[in-house]
mmCIF file with all atom_site columns, all heavy atoms in Angstrom:
data_model
loop_
_atom_site.group_PDB
_atom_site.id
_atom_site.type_symbol
_atom_site.label_atom_id
_atom_site.label_alt_id
_atom_site.label_comp_id
_atom_site.label_asym_id
_atom_site.label_entity_id
_atom_site.label_seq_id
_atom_site.pdbx_PDB_ins_code
_atom_site.Cartn_x
_atom_site.Cartn_y
_atom_site.Cartn_z
_atom_site.occupancy
_atom_site.B_iso_or_equiv
_atom_site.pdbx_formal_charge
_atom_site.auth_seq_id
_atom_site.auth_comp_id
_atom_site.auth_asym_id
_atom_site.auth_atom_id
_atom_site.pdbx_PDB_model_num
ATOM 1  N N   . GLN A 1 126 ? -1.229  -6.226  -1.629 1.00 0.00 ? 126 GLN A N   1
ATOM 2  C CA  . GLN A 1 126 ? -0.338  -6.090  -0.487 1.00 0.00 ? 126 GLN A CA  1
ATOM 3  C C   . GLN A 1 126 ? -1.139  -5.723  0.779  1.00 0.00 ? 126 GLN A C   1
ATOM 4  O O   . GLN A 1 126 ? -0.893  -6.181  1.861  1.00 0.00 ? 126 GLN A O   1
ATOM 5  C CB  . GLN A 1 126 ? 0.781   -5.101  -0.747 1.00 0.00 ? 126 GLN A CB  1
ATOM 6  C CG  . GLN A 1 126 ? 1.623   -5.433  -1.955 1.00 0.00 ? 126 GLN A CG  1
ATOM 7  C CD  . GLN A 1 126 ? 2.605   -6.564  -1.685 1.00 0.00 ? 126 GLN A CD  1
ATOM 8  O OE1 . GLN A 1 126 ? 3.522   -6.419  -0.887 1.00 0.00 ? 126 GLN A OE1 1
ATOM 9  N NE2 . GLN A 1 126 ? 2.404   -7.699  -2.344 1.00 0.00 ? 126 GLN A NE2 1
ATOM 10 N N   . ASN A 1 134 ? -4.261  -9.598  10.021 1.00 0.00 ? 134 ASN A N   1
ATOM 11 C CA  . ASN A 1 134 ? -4.565  -8.797  11.190 1.00 0.00 ? 134 ASN A CA  1
ATOM 12 C C   . ASN A 1 134 ? -3.576  -7.651  11.463 1.00 0.00 ? 134 ASN A C   1
ATOM 13 O O   . ASN A 1 134 ? -3.470  -7.175  12.572 1.00 0.00 ? 134 ASN A O   1
ATOM 14 C CB  . ASN A 1 134 ? -4.698  -9.658  12.440 1.00 0.00 ? 134 ASN A CB  1
ATOM 15 C CG  . ASN A 1 134 ? -6.129  -9.953  12.766 1.00 0.00 ? 134 ASN A CG  1
ATOM 16 O OD1 . ASN A 1 134 ? -7.006  -9.244  12.369 1.00 0.00 ? 134 ASN A OD1 1
ATOM 17 N ND2 . ASN A 1 134 ? -6.329  -11.053 13.481 1.00 0.00 ? 134 ASN A ND2 1
ATOM 18 N N   . ARG A 1 143 ? 5.233   -1.097  7.469  1.00 0.00 ? 143 ARG A N   1
ATOM 19 C CA  . ARG A 1 143 ? 6.049   -2.294  7.200  1.00 0.00 ? 143 ARG A CA  1
ATOM 20 C C   . ARG A 1 143 ? 6.004   -2.755  5.739  1.00 0.00 ? 143 ARG A C   1
ATOM 21 O O   . ARG A 1 143 ? 6.949   -3.368  5.258  1.00 0.00 ? 143 ARG A O   1
ATOM 22 C CB  . ARG A 1 143 ? 5.575   -3.468  8.074  1.00 0.00 ? 143 ARG A CB  1
ATOM 23 C CG  . ARG A 1 143 ? 5.547   -3.138  9.519  1.00 0.00 ? 143 ARG A CG  1
ATOM 24 C CD  . ARG A 1 143 ? 6.870   -3.449  10.155 1.00 0.00 ? 143 ARG A CD  1
ATOM 25 N NE  . ARG A 1 143 ? 6.840   -3.155  11.578 1.00 0.00 ? 143 ARG A NE  1
ATOM 26 C CZ  . ARG A 1 143 ? 7.856   -3.372  12.400 1.00 0.00 ? 143 ARG A CZ  1
ATOM 27 N NH1 . ARG A 1 143 ? 8.988   -3.841  11.893 1.00 0.00 ? 143 ARG A NH1 1
ATOM 28 N NH2 . ARG A 1 143 ? 7.761   -3.085  13.648 1.00 0.00 ? 143 ARG A NH2 1
ATOM 29 N N   . ARG A 1 226 ? 16.547  -2.989  -5.109 1.00 0.00 ? 226 ARG A N   1
ATOM 30 C CA  . ARG A 1 226 ? 16.148  -4.297  -4.650 1.00 0.00 ? 226 ARG A CA  1
ATOM 31 C C   . ARG A 1 226 ? 14.620  -4.399  -4.286 1.00 0.00 ? 226 ARG A C   1
ATOM 32 O O   . ARG A 1 226 ? 13.983  -5.394  -4.480 1.00 0.00 ? 226 ARG A O   1
ATOM 33 C CB  . ARG A 1 226 ? 17.055  -4.643  -3.465 1.00 0.00 ? 226 ARG A CB  1
ATOM 34 C CG  . ARG A 1 226 ? 16.639  -5.459  -2.325 1.00 0.00 ? 226 ARG A CG  1
ATOM 35 C CD  . ARG A 1 226 ? 16.937  -6.941  -2.501 1.00 0.00 ? 226 ARG A CD  1
ATOM 36 N NE  . ARG A 1 226 ? 15.651  -7.555  -2.883 1.00 0.00 ? 226 ARG A NE  1
ATOM 37 C CZ  . ARG A 1 226 ? 15.359  -7.972  -4.065 1.00 0.00 ? 226 ARG A CZ  1
ATOM 38 N NH1 . ARG A 1 226 ? 16.220  -7.893  -5.021 1.00 0.00 ? 226 ARG A NH1 1
ATOM 39 N NH2 . ARG A 1 226 ? 14.208  -8.486  -4.361 1.00 0.00 ? 226 ARG A NH2 1
ATOM 40 N N   . ARG B 2 76  ? -11.110 -9.328  13.876 1.00 0.00 ? 76  ARG B N   1
ATOM 41 C CA  . ARG B 2 76  ? -9.772  -9.695  14.266 1.00 0.00 ? 76  ARG B CA  1
ATOM 42 C C   . ARG B 2 76  ? -9.700  -11.138 14.736 1.00 0.00 ? 76  ARG B C   1
ATOM 43 O O   . ARG B 2 76  ? -8.797  -11.906 14.394 1.00 0.00 ? 76  ARG B O   1
ATOM 44 C CB  . ARG B 2 76  ? -9.235  -8.757  15.390 1.00 0.00 ? 76  ARG B CB  1
ATOM 45 C CG  . ARG B 2 76  ? -8.379  -7.599  14.829 1.00 0.00 ? 76  ARG B CG  1
ATOM 46 C CD  . ARG B 2 76  ? -7.594  -6.984  15.936 1.00 0.00 ? 76  ARG B CD  1
ATOM 47 N NE  . ARG B 2 76  ? -8.394  -6.459  17.021 1.00 0.00 ? 76  ARG B NE  1
ATOM 48 C CZ  . ARG B 2 76  ? -9.070  -5.320  16.944 1.00 0.00 ? 76  ARG B CZ  1
ATOM 49 N NH1 . ARG B 2 76  ? -9.020  -4.568  15.863 1.00 0.00 ? 76  ARG B NH1 1
ATOM 50 N NH2 . ARG B 2 76  ? -9.822  -4.925  17.963 1.00 0.00 ? 76  ARG B NH2 1
ATOM 51 N N   . LEU B 2 91  ? 2.710   -11.991 -1.786 1.00 0.00 ? 91  LEU B N   1
ATOM 52 C CA  . LEU B 2 91  ? 3.857   -11.930 -0.854 1.00 0.00 ? 91  LEU B CA  1
ATOM 53 C C   . LEU B 2 91  ? 4.224   -10.460 -0.743 1.00 0.00 ? 91  LEU B C   1
ATOM 54 O O   . LEU B 2 91  ? 4.115   -9.693  -1.721 1.00 0.00 ? 91  LEU B O   1
ATOM 55 C CB  . LEU B 2 91  ? 5.013   -12.733 -1.385 1.00 0.00 ? 91  LEU B CB  1
ATOM 56 C CG  . LEU B 2 91  ? 4.851   -14.250 -1.329 1.00 0.00 ? 91  LEU B CG  1
ATOM 57 C CD1 . LEU B 2 91  ? 6.108   -14.918 -1.899 1.00 0.00 ? 91  LEU B CD1 1
ATOM 58 C CD2 . LEU B 2 91  ? 4.579   -14.732 0.088  1.00 0.00 ? 91  LEU B CD2 1
ATOM 59 N N   . TYR B 2 136 ? 14.176  -12.568 -2.239 1.00 0.00 ? 136 TYR B N   1
ATOM 60 C CA  . TYR B 2 136 ? 13.019  -11.724 -2.316 1.00 0.00 ? 136 TYR B CA  1
ATOM 61 C C   . TYR B 2 136 ? 12.007  -12.336 -3.286 1.00 0.00 ? 136 TYR B C   1
ATOM 62 O O   . TYR B 2 136 ? 12.430  -13.094 -4.203 1.00 0.00 ? 136 TYR B O   1
ATOM 63 C CB  . TYR B 2 136 ? 13.405  -10.307 -2.762 1.00 0.00 ? 136 TYR B CB  1
ATOM 64 C CG  . TYR B 2 136 ? 14.055  -9.495  -1.637 1.00 0.00 ? 136 TYR B CG  1
ATOM 65 C CD1 . TYR B 2 136 ? 15.392  -9.639  -1.368 1.00 0.00 ? 136 TYR B CD1 1
ATOM 66 C CD2 . TYR B 2 136 ? 13.302  -8.678  -0.850 1.00 0.00 ? 136 TYR B CD2 1
ATOM 67 C CE1 . TYR B 2 136 ? 15.993  -8.938  -0.317 1.00 0.00 ? 136 TYR B CE1 1
ATOM 68 C CE2 . TYR B 2 136 ? 13.878  -7.989  0.207  1.00 0.00 ? 136 TYR B CE2 1
ATOM 69 C CZ  . TYR B 2 136 ? 15.211  -8.096  0.450  1.00 0.00 ? 136 TYR B CZ  1
ATOM 70 O OH  . TYR B 2 136 ? 15.783  -7.413  1.482  1.00 0.00 ? 136 TYR B OH  1
ATOM 71 N N   . ASP B 2 138 ? 10.589  -11.384 -5.943 1.00 0.00 ? 138 ASP B N   1
ATOM 72 C CA  . ASP B 2 138 ? 10.886  -11.266 -7.377 1.00 0.00 ? 138 ASP B CA  1
ATOM 73 C C   . ASP B 2 138 ? 12.108  -12.068 -7.824 1.00 0.00 ? 138 ASP B C   1
ATOM 74 O O   . ASP B 2 138 ? 12.438  -12.081 -8.993 1.00 0.00 ? 138 ASP B O   1
ATOM 75 C CB  . ASP B 2 138 ? 10.956  -9.796  -7.825 1.00 0.00 ? 138 ASP B CB  1
ATOM 76 C CG  . ASP B 2 138 ? 12.097  -9.058  -7.121 1.00 0.00 ? 138 ASP B CG  1
ATOM 77 O OD1 . ASP B 2 138 ? 12.856  -9.719  -6.356 1.00 0.00 ? 138 ASP B OD1 1
ATOM 78 O OD2 . ASP B 2 138 ? 12.247  -7.857  -7.327 1.00 0.00 ? 138 ASP B OD2 1
#
Side-chain angles (χ1 to χ4, degrees):
Chain A
Q126 302 284 295
N134 261 337
R143 306 271 181 179
R226 148 91 259 104
Chain B
R76 262 197 303 282
L91 289 180
Y136 284 84
D138 61 4

